[in-house]
Amino acid sequence: MPELPDLEVFAGNLNRRFKGQRVTKISVKWAKKLNVKVAELEEAVTGKKVTEICRSGKTLVCGFEGSVSLGFHLMLHGEIHLVVPGDEEPRFEIIGLYFDNDTILVITDFQKAAVVTLNPETPEVPDALDLKPGYLHKLLQGKRTQVKQVLLDQKSIRGIGNAYADEILWKAGVSPFSIAKALPDTAVKKLGKAISDVLNQAVKNIKKENPGRVSGEYREFLKIHNSKLEKTPDGEEIRVDKKGSRKTYYTDSQIKYMPQD
């Protein structure tokens, strides 16, 4: 599943490709996840020029003339395809947007779980790259759950997924099993800095190694959430905790903060 850094790169590449282009036709192959009728979607978007494509949390948002927008959430297995004349039609299409530059932007998902939303609401929850001073401290102080669960909760912070939560916590020196409200101010500050540093650096790494990417994920540079590694760059053993299908990568040196009461 692509996470925030991947989606940030996708958005930039799609924006350069489609900004100013006009939608000539829409093809909807799977309408059950739409928040409106197909006819309403077609009427709202067909003939409109793209004003900007950006990322909001884990959603890609395509803005059009007239304050119209489409949100694309790829969920676990959704993919983006850019189809030009002569290309083979991708399988498992959810929706296709035909543009006047002879390119079709196609969203696919073999599980049919990818979500397309006309005029998605702007969430009040902050994006992980837009956290304001004091927000993280206030958020953690009110949570009795493990800190990793807070980072993953899209109703608390938007955009962070499993892999980058591990990278952030390792960078901050905080155990993923710490109870959120038990983190001291110093640890919260380190965590806040780690969120910004890890995610921004990941965006740079992906742009460098996969500059034109609009789908998939690239994580070869991850320092702890990486099944190919047994030790961190510092030589410490990487431990793995598995619950269901989710794995947590961590080290013994990460401090586990627990309530004293």
Side-chain angles (χ1 to χ4, degrees):
M1 176 182 180
E3 294 192 22
L4 184 154
D6 301 294
L7 295 169
E8 186 77 10
V9 175
F10 298 171
N13 290 333
L14 291 171
N15 189 57
R16 284 186 288 274
R17 184 72 173 262
F18 292 107
K19 186 174 182 178
Q21 299 297 317
R22 191 182 303 277
V23 176
T24 59
K25 186 176 74 170
I26 295 178
S27 169
V28 179
K29 299 290 182 67
W30 182 254
K32 289 188 177 181
K33 294 280 187 170
L34 283 176
N35 64 327
V36 295
K37 298 293 185 182
V38 173
E40 182 178 344
L41 176 64
E42 292 174 334
E43 182 179 358
V45 175
T46 305
K48 299 286 181 64
K49 284 185 178 181
V50 175
T51 56
E52 183 182 25
I53 298 178
C54 62
R55 178 197 59 79
S56 177
K58 293 184 178 181
T59 300
L60 294 173
V61 180
C62 184
F64 298 93
E65 298 170 304
S67 299
V68 175
S69 63
L70 272 182
F72 305 107
H73 195 303
L74 301 177
M75 304 302 285
L76 283 175
H77 299 290
E79 293 185 343
I80 300 169
H81 302 264
L82 302 183
V83 181
V84 297
D87 285 350
E88 184 178 348
E89 186 175 322
R91 300 173 64 194
F92 311 115
E93 178 179 329
I94 301 294
I95 188 172
L97 275 66
Y98 292 67
F99 289 90
D100 54 7
N101 64 354
D102 291 327
T103 304
I104 312 171
L105 192 161
V106 179
I107 305 295
T108 66
D109 187 351
F110 72 88
Q111 287 191 328
K112 299 180 179 179
V115 178
V116 180
T117 306
L118 178 64
N119 297 325
E121 296 182 1
T122 301
E124 295 182 1
V125 175
D127 185 88
L129 288 182
D130 296 321
L131 295 181
K132 294 182 179 180
Y135 177 83
L136 189 60
H137 181 272
K138 183 178 180 180
L139 172 68
L140 295 177
Q141 287 302 305
K143 301 290 185 180
R144 294 181 177 272
T145 54
Q146 292 181 346
V147 64
K148 181 176 178 179
Q149 298 307 312
V150 179
L151 294 181
L152 294 176
D153 182 5
Q154 300 304 298
K155 294 181 180 180
S156 296
I157 302 172
R158 291 184 296 121
I160 300 175
N162 190 51
Y164 285 99
D166 288 347
E167 294 290 308
I168 289 165
L169 289 164
W170 175 74
K171 177 79 172 179
V174 175
S175 168
F177 311 113
S178 298
I179 299 303
K181 69 186 300 291
L183 267 64
D185 290 347
T186 53
V188 175
K189 289 179 181 178
K190 288 181 180 179
L191 186 59
K193 186 174 187 303
I195 291 173
S196 176
D197 289 351
V198 167
L199 296 178
N200 280 306
Q201 185 59 52
V203 171
K204 293 178 181 178
N205 289 338
I206 295 169
K207 284 182 177 179
K208 180 180 178 180
E209 298 298 329
N210 292 269
R213 183 181 287 270
V214 296
S215 199
E217 57 186 36
Y218 177 70
R219 298 179 181 174
E220 298 299 315
F221 56 88
L222 295 187
K223 297 178 179 179
I224 186 165
H225 192 105
N226 190 330
S227 61
K228 297 179 181 179
L229 300 177
E230 295 182 356
K231 294 184 178 181
T232 68
D234 300 327
E236 187 175 8
E237 181 181 356
I238 297 174
R239 300 191 180 278
V240 183
D241 181 79
K242 184 176 181 180
K243 292 184 178 179
S245 61
R246 176 173 290 165
K247 293 182 179 179
T248 293
Y249 292 71
Y250 67 102
T251 63
D252 289 338
S253 66
Q254 290 171 246
I255 300 174
K256 185 177 180 180
Y257 297 98
M258 302 297 287
Q260 297 301 312
D261 49 22

